[in-house]
Amino acid sequence: MNDLTPDREERSANLKGMGCSRKRVEDARFTQGKGNYVDDIKLPGMLHGDFVRSPYAHARVVSINKDAAMALPGVVAVLTAEDLAPLNLHWMPTLAGDKQMVLADGKVLFQGQEVAFVVASDRYVAADAVELVEVEYEELPVLTDPFEALKSDVVLREDLAGQTEGAHGPRKHHNHIFTWEQGDETGTNQVLDNAEVVAEETMYYHRTHPCPLETCGSVASMDKVNGKLTLWGTFQAPHVVRTVASLLSGIEEHNIRVVSPDIGGGFGNKVGVYPGYVCSIVASIVTGKPVKWVEDRMENLMSTAFARDYWMTGKIAATKDGKITGLHCHVTADHGGFDACADPTKFPAGFMNICTGSYDIPVAYLAVDGVYTNKAPGGVSYRCSFRVTEAVYFIERMIEVLAIELDMDAAELRRINFIKKEQFPYTAALGWEYDSGDYHTAWDKALKTVDYDGLRKEQAERVEAFKRGETRKLMGVGLSFFTEIVGAGPVKNCDILGMGMFDSCEIRIHPTGSAIARLGTISQGQGHATTFAQILASEIGISADSITIEEGDTDTAPYGLGTYGSRSTPVAGAATAMAGRKIRAKAQMIAAYLLEVHDDDVEFDIDRFVVKGAPEKFKTMKEIAYAAYNQAIPGIEPGLEAVSYYDPPNMTYPFGAYVCVMDIDVDTGVPEIRRFYALDDCGTRINPMIIEGQVHGGLTEALAVALGQEIAYDKLGNVKTGTLMDFFLPTAWEVPNYETDYTVTPSPHHPIGAKGVGESPHVGGVPCFSNAVQDAFRAFGLRHTNMPHDHWRIWQAANQLGLHD
Ligand code: PCD
């Protein structure tokens, strides 16, 4: 049975292992209409739910009259808080230690809040019945500004009235949620007081929203005969949903099966638990029928988790020649009506405490105040590891402002402050230990590729030409250098609702030498079925084409904390490699037995074990797998399976250097991106083609956020951007050609040296686009202007600088 495939190179290529741009195996299904999304699930007798939502941002619910709705043929039930109260499900715990109304209990706190859940025989009847539910409201004063909320007598959360302690410590005011402090306040203030130069700036990272193509939804099916609840849904963390559903409902966890089928993009929007999920479960329990809930686009934008909404004030101290000596940051965080941020429990402002960025800053202090307002709850990590995008935007803007203050080149200012290669592992002033990095090499490569000096020369010429009236277009050179923090991660630091953040992989090798591996994560488009098979192929010597990857079914997958915060590669990817190594260790013993040598006398070689010094004597993994099941081997159990639960020793710290060259028409405010160069370092690269796709996607979402995408409210708390007419979602029209590049600095603690990459381009991209806009006006005195830089805001900035006179 020996397989005498000729050379090692060919054998290695056959594996399609790590480093190979393997085509995505899931795409055959996705491009041929064979995907299986939540809305594709159709069960016999299935009912449909739809929400009555509040038109007001703050109002008392005086009465709800269901009669007319119930009279409509096809309507089965109209649930309100009163119906959920006996089950204790009218309020639910949030990931941030707060509680949130499932259905309005006494009053509403934001426009679009869920007031009643109509259950009907089809989606259209449900929608008609929603119109027939009569709700009487009494309007209350609306607070949409967190600074006003902190001064106002209006109590938003009456349920918390008088409570001076919250989940994250003392509350200073009835609309205040928490203060989170990190670092050395006294030391930082001392440095600021004595510094040669201090630059100060306040910036608003506006409220926006992840906008996956597929909105959120669920199908609940309670089988009262077996006592088993099955819940399909758009869940980025299916196991967590199962545990939470069990704790809330009292149904034993083995009787709950949670399935995330195909997911049409997550971007953090599908991490939290929404009233729709809870209501579909309750409705299925009440009616005994499966109940589907799928939100529409407006509901998605108005009510499911928002992102950002951080007011950040920074002070950065430096010497005259540009060496940074200290950093102070204060954030006022607008959390909306409930604190439903999706962060590890101990981090109420996520990883905002990585705001010292890629720079060697000796002392720093961060304080974050969380505030309630009349806006939708959420606070998700939209394509970033918790609040790292806010942190990177903050420091990359502070660097630009400091460069202006020092009258210095911003690329040079970065270079002299980067953490040096030999300083890794590096402990930052706010506590994180960066695993590895080589920032100078990446920066130099980036600047050289784009001919940075040439760009600055051209820019200076353009400024002169503008002043002479020869052009109305200015040129911006946007720079950003970012360090991400991904892979939450270590159980000792990170948990969600008490559940430690490890991840898992379970592998079964079949007798004929193919395999199935199941993971605790869940792909939403990232291509896990392609890439995890590649890790395994390299680890166990079975072709990736012969390995099925399965995720998302809690009845079969090992327990895991899910996919967000670019944690799949750092955590589940590590578990995959470790489980693979267990398989290999057993395979080694089997091979040695079959080859009649000692275990230590065989070694792994691509797809086989060979006798050391006698390469013609070998057993392929296929042969070993067959023997594992079919041959009695003394002292070894039959079968070839392994499972690994991996608790990472640290997070991984990918980084990157981005440059954007932009021309801005001063009279129309229209920016034109001439060039975008992105160098990413995510350590060992599993699939270069998928990485490139991830970078393109992340940059496009960064462009969206920097140049127009926002959830805006008026003074009455009406959402002004609740449809895709107003909410900017870039198309091929707005998106430039991206140039991607890389360096490779492996993670020293990850079994295959890989770091995450999915979010990096977004985290580095937002400041890069923003800096490009702002840099175009630097020569005319602009220091800082807030995002999103849509045409109107750019025009206004130009106008304020007197460029239209
Ligand atoms: N990779 C490779 N290599 C390396 C790394 C990585 O190859 N070194 C690849 C992997 O395998 C996969 C990807 O890449 O496939 C990614 O990865 P990561 O970074 O690890 O990540 P994950 O975890 O997997 O995922 C997550 C992310 C996130 S977070 C987000 S937002 C987004 C991204 O992912 N999302 C999404 N991307 C994406 N894509 C798509 N298509 N879709 C979606 O949805 Mo959050 O937190 O949730 O916000």
Side-chain angles (χ1 to χ4, degrees), residues 24 210 212 236 263-269 271 380-386 486 521-522 524-528 531-532 535 562-570 682-688 690-691 694 701 754-759:
R24 292 167 36 111
Q236 289 184 237
I263 295 183
F267 312 115
N269 189 223
V271 173
V380 290
S381 46
Y382 169 11
R383 209 154 192 162
C384 72
S385 194
F386 309 107
V486 302
T521 44
I522 173 74
Q524 308 128 33
Q526 295 87 342
H528 288 178
T531 52
F532 285 117
I535 299 179
T563 292
Y564 43 85
S566 261
R567 64 185 299 282
S568 304
T569 304
C682 56
T684 307
R685 291 150 52 87
I686 301 160
N687 184 321
I690 284 195
I691 292 174
Q694 289 290 310
E701 287 187 314
K755 303 180 178 186
V757 76
E759 307 172 322

Short mmCIF file of all heavy atoms in Angstrom, two decimals, residues 24 210 212 236 263-269 271 380-386 486 521-522 524-528 531-532 535 562-570 682-688 690-691 694 701 754-759, ligand 1:
data_model
loop_
_atom_site.label_atom_id
_atom_site.label_comp_id
_atom_site.label_asym_id
_atom_site.label_seq_id
_atom_site.Cartn_x
_atom_site.Cartn_y
_atom_site.Cartn_z
N ARG A 24 -11.31 29.11 -1.68
CA ARG A 24 -12.27 28.91 -0.58
C ARG A 24 -13.26 27.79 -0.92
O ARG A 24 -13.98 27.87 -1.90
CB ARG A 24 -13.02 30.21 -0.30
CG ARG A 24 -12.14 31.30 0.28
CD ARG A 24 -12.83 32.65 0.24
NE ARG A 24 -14.25 32.55 0.46
CZ ARG A 24 -14.88 33.00 1.56
NH1 ARG A 24 -14.20 33.59 2.52
NH2 ARG A 24 -16.18 32.88 1.67
N PRO A 210 -22.26 48.18 12.48
CA PRO A 210 -21.84 47.17 11.52
C PRO A 210 -23.05 46.91 10.63
O PRO A 210 -24.17 46.95 11.11
CB PRO A 210 -21.55 45.94 12.38
CG PRO A 210 -21.71 46.35 13.80
CD PRO A 210 -22.48 47.63 13.84
N PRO A 212 -23.96 44.09 8.35
CA PRO A 212 -23.83 42.85 7.58
C PRO A 212 -24.96 42.74 6.56
O PRO A 212 -26.06 43.23 6.80
CB PRO A 212 -23.95 41.75 8.64
CG PRO A 212 -24.61 42.39 9.82
CD PRO A 212 -24.25 43.84 9.77
N GLN A 236 -22.72 34.82 16.66
CA GLN A 236 -21.25 34.74 16.55
C GLN A 236 -20.67 33.91 17.69
O GLN A 236 -19.49 33.58 17.66
CB GLN A 236 -20.64 36.15 16.53
CG GLN A 236 -20.93 36.90 15.22
CD GLN A 236 -20.26 38.26 15.14
OE1 GLN A 236 -20.94 39.26 14.95
NE2 GLN A 236 -18.94 38.33 15.25
N ILE A 263 -23.72 32.32 8.06
CA ILE A 263 -23.96 33.68 8.53
C ILE A 263 -23.46 34.64 7.46
O ILE A 263 -22.33 34.52 6.98
CB ILE A 263 -23.23 33.93 9.87
CG1 ILE A 263 -23.86 33.03 10.97
CG2 ILE A 263 -23.32 35.40 10.27
CD1 ILE A 263 -23.28 33.24 12.34
N GLY A 264 -24.32 35.58 7.10
CA GLY A 264 -23.98 36.52 6.03
C GLY A 264 -23.31 37.77 6.56
O GLY A 264 -23.82 38.87 6.43
N GLY A 265 -22.16 37.59 7.19
CA GLY A 265 -21.42 38.72 7.76
C GLY A 265 -21.84 38.96 9.20
O GLY A 265 -23.03 38.88 9.54
N GLY A 266 -20.87 39.20 10.04
CA GLY A 266 -21.17 39.46 11.45
C GLY A 266 -20.70 40.83 11.87
O GLY A 266 -21.48 41.68 12.26
N PHE A 267 -19.39 41.03 11.80
CA PHE A 267 -18.76 42.32 12.12
C PHE A 267 -19.11 42.81 13.51
O PHE A 267 -19.20 44.01 13.75
CB PHE A 267 -19.13 43.37 11.06
CG PHE A 267 -18.95 42.89 9.65
CD1 PHE A 267 -20.03 42.73 8.79
CD2 PHE A 267 -17.68 42.55 9.19
CE1 PHE A 267 -19.85 42.25 7.50
CE2 PHE A 267 -17.51 42.07 7.90
CZ PHE A 267 -18.60 41.92 7.05
N GLY A 268 -19.38 41.88 14.42
CA GLY A 268 -19.69 42.25 15.80
C GLY A 268 -21.17 42.46 16.05
O GLY A 268 -21.63 42.40 17.18
N ASN A 269 -21.94 42.66 14.99
CA ASN A 269 -23.38 42.89 15.15
C ASN A 269 -24.10 41.68 15.75
O ASN A 269 -25.15 41.81 16.36
CB ASN A 269 -23.97 43.23 13.77
CG ASN A 269 -25.41 43.71 13.82
OD1 ASN A 269 -26.23 43.31 13.01
ND2 ASN A 269 -25.75 44.55 14.78
N VAL A 271 -22.90 39.42 18.03
CA VAL A 271 -22.30 38.87 19.25
C VAL A 271 -23.31 38.86 20.39
O VAL A 271 -23.42 37.88 21.12
CB VAL A 271 -21.03 39.68 19.65
CG1 VAL A 271 -20.50 39.22 21.00
CG2 VAL A 271 -19.94 39.54 18.59
N VAL A 380 -20.62 47.46 20.23
CA VAL A 380 -19.90 46.26 19.81
C VAL A 380 -18.60 46.61 19.12
O VAL A 380 -18.38 47.73 18.67
CB VAL A 380 -20.73 45.39 18.84
CG1 VAL A 380 -21.87 44.74 19.57
CG2 VAL A 380 -21.21 46.18 17.64
N SER A 381 -17.77 45.60 19.04
CA SER A 381 -16.49 45.77 18.39
C SER A 381 -16.69 45.57 16.90
O SER A 381 -16.45 44.50 16.38
CB SER A 381 -15.51 44.76 18.95
OG SER A 381 -16.10 43.47 19.01
N TYR A 382 -17.18 46.60 16.23
CA TYR A 382 -17.38 46.55 14.78
C TYR A 382 -16.01 46.46 14.13
O TYR A 382 -15.25 47.40 14.10
CB TYR A 382 -18.14 47.81 14.38
CG TYR A 382 -18.27 48.16 12.91
CD1 TYR A 382 -17.94 47.28 11.89
CD2 TYR A 382 -18.79 49.39 12.56
CE1 TYR A 382 -18.09 47.64 10.56
CE2 TYR A 382 -18.95 49.76 11.23
CZ TYR A 382 -18.59 48.88 10.24
OH TYR A 382 -18.74 49.26 8.93
N ARG A 383 -15.71 45.31 13.65
CA ARG A 383 -14.43 44.98 13.03
C ARG A 383 -13.23 45.50 13.82
O ARG A 383 -12.34 46.17 13.29
CB ARG A 383 -14.36 45.46 11.59
CG ARG A 383 -13.43 44.55 10.82
CD ARG A 383 -13.70 44.48 9.37
NE ARG A 383 -12.94 43.38 8.80
CZ ARG A 383 -13.19 42.82 7.64
NH1 ARG A 383 -14.19 43.24 6.93
NH2 ARG A 383 -12.46 41.85 7.19
N CYS A 384 -13.21 45.16 15.09
CA CYS A 384 -12.05 45.47 15.92
C CYS A 384 -12.18 44.66 17.19
O CYS A 384 -13.23 44.18 17.51
CB CYS A 384 -12.00 46.95 16.26
SG CYS A 384 -13.23 47.45 17.44
N SER A 385 -11.06 44.51 17.87
CA SER A 385 -11.07 43.73 19.09
C SER A 385 -11.53 44.65 20.22
O SER A 385 -10.77 45.43 20.75
CB SER A 385 -9.66 43.21 19.34
OG SER A 385 -9.66 42.23 20.32
N PHE A 386 -12.82 44.56 20.50
CA PHE A 386 -13.43 45.41 21.51
C PHE A 386 -13.15 46.88 21.17
O PHE A 386 -13.47 47.27 20.07
CB PHE A 386 -13.05 44.92 22.91
CG PHE A 386 -13.33 43.43 23.00
CD1 PHE A 386 -12.33 42.48 23.00
CD2 PHE A 386 -14.64 42.99 22.93
CE1 PHE A 386 -12.63 41.11 22.98
CE2 PHE A 386 -14.95 41.63 22.90
CZ PHE A 386 -13.93 40.69 22.93
N VAL A 486 -5.41 41.03 19.62
CA VAL A 486 -6.47 40.07 19.29
C VAL A 486 -6.21 38.68 19.84
O VAL A 486 -5.07 38.26 20.00
CB VAL A 486 -6.67 39.98 17.75
CG1 VAL A 486 -7.02 41.34 17.17
CG2 VAL A 486 -5.47 39.40 17.04
N THR A 521 -15.58 27.88 17.22
CA THR A 521 -15.76 29.20 16.57
C THR A 521 -16.84 29.08 15.50
O THR A 521 -17.41 28.01 15.31
CB THR A 521 -14.43 29.63 15.94
OG1 THR A 521 -13.87 28.49 15.26
CG2 THR A 521 -13.45 30.10 17.00
N ILE A 522 -17.12 30.18 14.78
CA ILE A 522 -18.11 30.11 13.71
C ILE A 522 -17.79 31.15 12.63
O ILE A 522 -17.70 32.34 12.91
CB ILE A 522 -19.55 30.28 14.27
CG1 ILE A 522 -20.59 30.39 13.16
CG2 ILE A 522 -19.66 31.49 15.20
CD1 ILE A 522 -20.90 29.12 12.47
N GLN A 524 -18.27 33.61 9.53
CA GLN A 524 -19.36 34.46 9.03
C GLN A 524 -19.03 34.95 7.64
O GLN A 524 -19.57 35.95 7.17
CB GLN A 524 -19.54 35.66 9.98
CG GLN A 524 -19.69 35.29 11.43
CD GLN A 524 -18.72 36.05 12.33
OE1 GLN A 524 -18.40 37.20 12.07
NE2 GLN A 524 -18.29 35.43 13.41
N GLY A 525 -18.06 34.29 7.02
CA GLY A 525 -17.59 34.72 5.72
C GLY A 525 -16.07 34.70 5.63
O GLY A 525 -15.49 34.88 4.58
N GLN A 526 -15.42 34.47 6.78
CA GLN A 526 -13.95 34.52 6.83
C GLN A 526 -13.29 33.36 6.11
O GLN A 526 -12.10 33.42 5.81
CB GLN A 526 -13.47 34.52 8.30
CG GLN A 526 -13.87 35.74 9.09
CD GLN A 526 -15.23 35.60 9.73
OE1 GLN A 526 -16.04 34.77 9.36
NE2 GLN A 526 -15.51 36.42 10.71
N GLY A 527 -14.03 32.27 5.91
CA GLY A 527 -13.43 31.14 5.20
C GLY A 527 -12.79 30.11 6.12
O GLY A 527 -11.81 29.45 5.73
N HIS A 528 -13.34 29.93 7.30
CA HIS A 528 -12.75 28.98 8.24
C HIS A 528 -12.66 27.56 7.68
O HIS A 528 -11.71 26.83 7.98
CB HIS A 528 -13.56 28.93 9.54
CG HIS A 528 -13.40 30.16 10.38
ND1 HIS A 528 -14.06 30.34 11.56
CD2 HIS A 528 -12.65 31.27 10.21
CE1 HIS A 528 -13.73 31.51 12.09
NE2 HIS A 528 -12.88 32.09 11.28
N THR A 531 -9.38 27.55 5.80
CA THR A 531 -8.10 27.80 6.46
C THR A 531 -7.80 26.84 7.61
O THR A 531 -6.65 26.45 7.79
CB THR A 531 -8.03 29.24 6.97
OG1 THR A 531 -9.18 29.51 7.77
CG2 THR A 531 -7.97 30.23 5.83
N PHE A 532 -8.81 26.47 8.39
CA PHE A 532 -8.52 25.55 9.49
C PHE A 532 -8.08 24.19 8.95
O PHE A 532 -7.25 23.51 9.55
CB PHE A 532 -9.69 25.44 10.46
CG PHE A 532 -9.80 26.65 11.35
CD1 PHE A 532 -10.90 27.48 11.31
CD2 PHE A 532 -8.77 26.97 12.21
CE1 PHE A 532 -10.98 28.61 12.11
CE2 PHE A 532 -8.84 28.10 13.02
CZ PHE A 532 -9.95 28.93 12.97
N ILE A 535 -4.36 24.44 8.34
CA ILE A 535 -3.52 24.27 9.55
C ILE A 535 -3.36 22.78 9.82
O ILE A 535 -2.25 22.27 10.02
CB ILE A 535 -4.16 24.94 10.79
CG1 ILE A 535 -4.32 26.44 10.57
CG2 ILE A 535 -3.35 24.64 12.05
CD1 ILE A 535 -4.96 27.19 11.73
N GLY A 562 -16.59 31.37 20.45
CA GLY A 562 -17.10 32.00 19.24
C GLY A 562 -16.11 32.87 18.49
O GLY A 562 -14.94 32.96 18.85
N THR A 563 -16.63 33.50 17.45
CA THR A 563 -15.79 34.27 16.53
C THR A 563 -16.12 35.76 16.55
O THR A 563 -17.21 36.16 16.15
CB THR A 563 -15.93 33.71 15.10
OG1 THR A 563 -15.36 32.41 15.08
CG2 THR A 563 -15.20 34.59 14.09
N TYR A 564 -15.20 36.53 17.04
CA TYR A 564 -15.26 38.01 17.06
C TYR A 564 -13.89 38.40 17.60
O TYR A 564 -13.13 37.55 18.08
CB TYR A 564 -16.39 38.52 17.98
CG TYR A 564 -16.45 37.77 19.27
CD1 TYR A 564 -15.65 38.13 20.34
CD2 TYR A 564 -17.22 36.60 19.39
CE1 TYR A 564 -15.62 37.38 21.50
CE2 TYR A 564 -17.20 35.86 20.54
CZ TYR A 564 -16.40 36.25 21.60
OH TYR A 564 -16.36 35.49 22.74
N GLY A 565 -13.58 39.68 17.53
CA GLY A 565 -12.30 40.13 18.07
C GLY A 565 -11.12 39.39 17.45
O GLY A 565 -10.10 39.20 18.11
N SER A 566 -11.24 38.98 16.19
CA SER A 566 -10.17 38.22 15.50
C SER A 566 -9.56 37.18 16.41
O SER A 566 -8.34 37.03 16.48
CB SER A 566 -9.06 39.17 15.00
OG SER A 566 -9.23 39.45 13.62
N ARG A 567 -10.41 36.44 17.10
CA ARG A 567 -9.88 35.49 18.06
C ARG A 567 -9.77 34.07 17.51
O ARG A 567 -9.15 33.21 18.11
CB ARG A 567 -10.67 35.50 19.36
CG ARG A 567 -12.14 35.06 19.25
CD ARG A 567 -12.88 35.23 20.58
NE ARG A 567 -12.35 34.44 21.67
CZ ARG A 567 -12.56 33.13 21.84
NH1 ARG A 567 -13.28 32.45 20.98
NH2 ARG A 567 -12.03 32.51 22.87
N SER A 568 -10.37 33.81 16.34
CA SER A 568 -10.40 32.42 15.86
C SER A 568 -9.01 31.88 15.57
O SER A 568 -8.67 30.78 16.01
CB SER A 568 -11.28 32.31 14.62
OG SER A 568 -12.57 32.80 14.90
N THR A 569 -8.20 32.64 14.84
CA THR A 569 -6.86 32.15 14.53
C THR A 569 -6.00 32.07 15.80
O THR A 569 -5.41 31.03 16.08
CB THR A 569 -6.19 33.03 13.46
OG1 THR A 569 -7.05 33.07 12.33
CG2 THR A 569 -4.83 32.50 13.06
N PRO A 570 -5.94 33.16 16.59
CA PRO A 570 -5.12 33.08 17.79
C PRO A 570 -5.55 32.00 18.78
O PRO A 570 -4.70 31.39 19.42
CB PRO A 570 -5.27 34.47 18.42
CG PRO A 570 -5.66 35.36 17.31
CD PRO A 570 -6.47 34.53 16.37
N CYS A 682 0.73 39.76 10.27
CA CYS A 682 -0.11 38.93 11.14
C CYS A 682 0.63 37.65 11.50
O CYS A 682 0.04 36.59 11.67
CB CYS A 682 -1.46 38.64 10.48
SG CYS A 682 -1.35 37.85 8.87
N GLY A 683 1.96 37.77 11.59
CA GLY A 683 2.76 36.59 11.91
C GLY A 683 2.69 35.59 10.77
O GLY A 683 2.57 35.97 9.60
N THR A 684 2.73 34.31 11.11
CA THR A 684 2.66 33.26 10.10
C THR A 684 1.35 33.37 9.33
O THR A 684 0.29 33.49 9.92
CB THR A 684 2.73 31.88 10.80
OG1 THR A 684 3.88 31.87 11.63
CG2 THR A 684 2.80 30.76 9.78
N ARG A 685 1.47 33.33 8.01
CA ARG A 685 0.27 33.51 7.17
C ARG A 685 -0.27 32.16 6.74
O ARG A 685 0.44 31.36 6.13
CB ARG A 685 0.64 34.36 5.95
CG ARG A 685 0.95 35.81 6.34
CD ARG A 685 1.95 36.48 5.40
NE ARG A 685 1.62 36.40 4.01
CZ ARG A 685 0.84 37.27 3.35
NH1 ARG A 685 0.34 38.30 4.00
NH2 ARG A 685 0.60 37.13 2.08
N ILE A 686 -1.54 31.90 7.04
CA ILE A 686 -2.12 30.59 6.72
C ILE A 686 -2.53 30.56 5.25
O ILE A 686 -2.12 29.70 4.50
CB ILE A 686 -3.32 30.28 7.63
CG1 ILE A 686 -2.87 30.30 9.09
CG2 ILE A 686 -3.93 28.92 7.28
CD1 ILE A 686 -3.99 30.49 10.07
N ASN A 687 -3.32 31.54 4.83
CA ASN A 687 -3.80 31.58 3.44
C ASN A 687 -3.67 33.01 2.90
O ASN A 687 -4.52 33.86 3.17
CB ASN A 687 -5.26 31.09 3.38
CG ASN A 687 -5.77 31.03 1.96
OD1 ASN A 687 -5.48 31.89 1.13
ND2 ASN A 687 -6.56 30.01 1.67
N PRO A 688 -2.62 33.27 2.14
CA PRO A 688 -2.37 34.64 1.66
C PRO A 688 -3.54 35.24 0.89
O PRO A 688 -3.82 36.43 1.00
CB PRO A 688 -1.15 34.47 0.75
CG PRO A 688 -0.48 33.23 1.24
CD PRO A 688 -1.57 32.33 1.75
N ILE A 690 -6.78 34.58 1.29
CA ILE A 690 -7.84 34.94 2.24
C ILE A 690 -7.42 36.19 3.03
O ILE A 690 -8.23 37.09 3.27
CB ILE A 690 -8.20 33.74 3.15
CG1 ILE A 690 -9.03 32.77 2.31
CG2 ILE A 690 -8.92 34.19 4.42
CD1 ILE A 690 -9.77 31.70 3.05
N ILE A 691 -6.16 36.26 3.37
CA ILE A 691 -5.68 37.45 4.09
C ILE A 691 -5.90 38.69 3.22
O ILE A 691 -6.41 39.71 3.70
CB ILE A 691 -4.18 37.30 4.46
CG1 ILE A 691 -4.01 36.21 5.51
CG2 ILE A 691 -3.60 38.63 4.93
CD1 ILE A 691 -2.58 35.86 5.86
N GLN A 694 -9.45 39.60 3.36
CA GLN A 694 -9.77 40.21 4.66
C GLN A 694 -9.32 41.67 4.69
O GLN A 694 -10.02 42.53 5.21
CB GLN A 694 -9.08 39.43 5.79
CG GLN A 694 -9.69 38.05 6.05
CD GLN A 694 -11.07 38.15 6.65
OE1 GLN A 694 -11.30 38.85 7.63
NE2 GLN A 694 -12.02 37.45 6.07
N GLU A 701 -14.57 48.77 4.92
CA GLU A 701 -15.39 49.20 6.06
C GLU A 701 -14.74 50.39 6.77
O GLU A 701 -15.43 51.23 7.35
CB GLU A 701 -15.60 48.03 7.03
CG GLU A 701 -16.58 47.01 6.46
CD GLU A 701 -16.95 45.91 7.44
OE1 GLU A 701 -16.05 45.37 8.10
OE2 GLU A 701 -18.14 45.59 7.56
N ALA A 754 0.91 32.28 14.35
CA ALA A 754 -0.05 33.13 13.64
C ALA A 754 -0.70 34.14 14.59
O ALA A 754 -0.93 33.87 15.75
CB ALA A 754 -1.12 32.27 12.99
N LYS A 755 -1.00 35.31 14.05
CA LYS A 755 -1.78 36.32 14.75
C LYS A 755 -3.06 36.55 13.93
O LYS A 755 -3.11 36.14 12.78
CB LYS A 755 -1.00 37.63 14.85
CG LYS A 755 0.37 37.50 15.53
CD LYS A 755 1.07 38.84 15.59
CE LYS A 755 2.42 38.73 16.30
NZ LYS A 755 3.05 40.05 16.49
N GLY A 756 -4.03 37.20 14.49
CA GLY A 756 -5.27 37.48 13.75
C GLY A 756 -5.03 38.54 12.69
O GLY A 756 -4.04 39.27 12.72
N VAL A 757 -5.95 38.65 11.74
CA VAL A 757 -5.79 39.68 10.70
C VAL A 757 -7.11 40.32 10.27
O VAL A 757 -7.13 41.41 9.72
CB VAL A 757 -5.06 39.10 9.47
CG1 VAL A 757 -5.98 38.22 8.62
CG2 VAL A 757 -4.46 40.20 8.61
N GLY A 758 -8.22 39.65 10.56
CA GLY A 758 -9.51 40.08 10.01
C GLY A 758 -9.87 41.52 10.32
O GLY A 758 -10.47 42.21 9.51
N GLU A 759 -9.51 41.96 11.50
CA GLU A 759 -9.92 43.30 11.91
C GLU A 759 -8.87 44.36 11.63
O GLU A 759 -9.19 45.54 11.51
CB GLU A 759 -10.12 43.32 13.42
CG GLU A 759 -11.02 42.24 13.86
CD GLU A 759 -11.04 42.15 15.35
OE1 GLU A 759 -9.98 42.33 15.97
OE2 GLU A 759 -12.11 41.95 15.88
N1 PCD B 1 -5.97 34.10 8.56
C1 PCD B 1 -4.85 33.59 7.90
N2 PCD B 1 -3.60 33.81 8.42
C2 PCD B 1 -3.46 34.51 9.56
C3 PCD B 1 -4.58 35.02 10.22
C4 PCD B 1 -5.84 34.79 9.70
O1 PCD B 1 -4.99 32.98 6.84
N3 PCD B 1 -2.25 34.72 10.09
C5 PCD B 1 -7.32 33.85 8.02
C6 PCD B 1 -8.10 32.96 8.99
O2 PCD B 1 -7.89 31.66 8.83
C7 PCD B 1 -9.54 33.40 8.77
C8 PCD B 1 -9.39 34.86 8.42
O3 PCD B 1 -8.04 35.04 7.95
O4 PCD B 1 -10.07 32.72 7.70
C9 PCD B 1 -9.68 35.81 9.63
O5 PCD B 1 -8.98 35.32 10.75
P1 PCD B 1 -8.95 36.06 12.16
O6 PCD B 1 -8.27 37.36 12.06
O7 PCD B 1 -8.47 35.09 13.17
O8 PCD B 1 -10.47 36.44 12.45
P2 PCD B 1 -11.71 35.48 12.81
O9 PCD B 1 -11.81 35.33 14.26
O10 PCD B 1 -11.67 34.30 11.95
O11 PCD B 1 -12.89 36.35 12.27
C10 PCD B 1 -13.35 37.46 13.02
C11 PCD B 1 -13.11 38.74 12.22
C12 PCD B 1 -13.95 39.84 12.81
S1 PCD B 1 -13.87 40.10 14.42
C13 PCD B 1 -14.69 40.65 12.03
S2 PCD B 1 -15.57 41.89 12.72
C14 PCD B 1 -14.77 40.51 10.54
C15 PCD B 1 -13.52 39.72 10.06
O12 PCD B 1 -13.44 38.54 10.85
N4 PCD B 1 -15.99 39.84 10.17
C16 PCD B 1 -16.07 39.29 8.92
N5 PCD B 1 -13.65 39.38 8.67
C17 PCD B 1 -14.89 39.07 8.15
N6 PCD B 1 -14.96 38.60 6.91
C18 PCD B 1 -16.16 38.28 6.38
N7 PCD B 1 -16.21 37.82 5.12
N8 PCD B 1 -17.31 38.44 7.09
C19 PCD B 1 -17.29 38.92 8.34
O13 PCD B 1 -18.41 39.04 9.03
MO1 PCD B 1 -15.73 41.45 15.05
O14 PCD B 1 -15.20 41.56 16.71
O15 PCD B 1 -17.00 40.40 15.06
O16 PCD B 1 -16.53 43.08 15.13
#
